Amino acid sequence: NGSQTIELWTAQGNPTAGSVIVNFTSSNYVVVFVDKFQNVNPFVPFESAAGANTNGQDSTLCSTGPSTAFTNLNLTSTVNNALLHVITGARNQTITAAEPDYDQLAYETAGISGNFINSYLHQMVLTLAGTDNISHQLNSSVGAWVTAGIVIRP
């Protein structure tokens, strides 16, 4: 319904302790996840960034779509032992059965009753190069969801 957006931002350097400051010019409700990684390929650190919503993978439509109780995203790695990093936002829904191969790193919520976003951060190591499908089961097929992911190369 056009109410959710996921943005993936990347930076490169040596991880250090400290704060990350995020400034917005305007926003209703915001959840921010910050992760630092080591042993990332310095020449080609990322590949296969992708997103999906109820309209499908890499859909440009965001205001309509079928109601589904399952998220669905494919990520492809061309190298072994890549880290698949996935963010999911479920509007007025919760993940009741996460993709079993993935570890949940974080969960945050923003908004008010009737208009809240549950945000989840999951990741897994894909030991062999190839494509992995990430599908989380939601508690309801009524509502909107959005998911995005990126492959982090070792």
Side-chain angles (χ1 to χ4, degrees), residues 37-60:
F37 302 98
Q38 295 180 344
N39 304 316
V40 175
N41 184 314
F43 303 106
V44 185
F46 311 105
E47 66 180 344
S48 188
N53 60 26
T54 58
N55 288 299
Q57 180 118 357
D58 296 328
S59 174
T60 58

Side-chain angles (χ1 to χ4, degrees), residues 15-27:
T16 59
S19 299
V20 173
I21 299 171
V22 180
N23 294 309
F24 294 93
T25 55
S26 67
S27 179

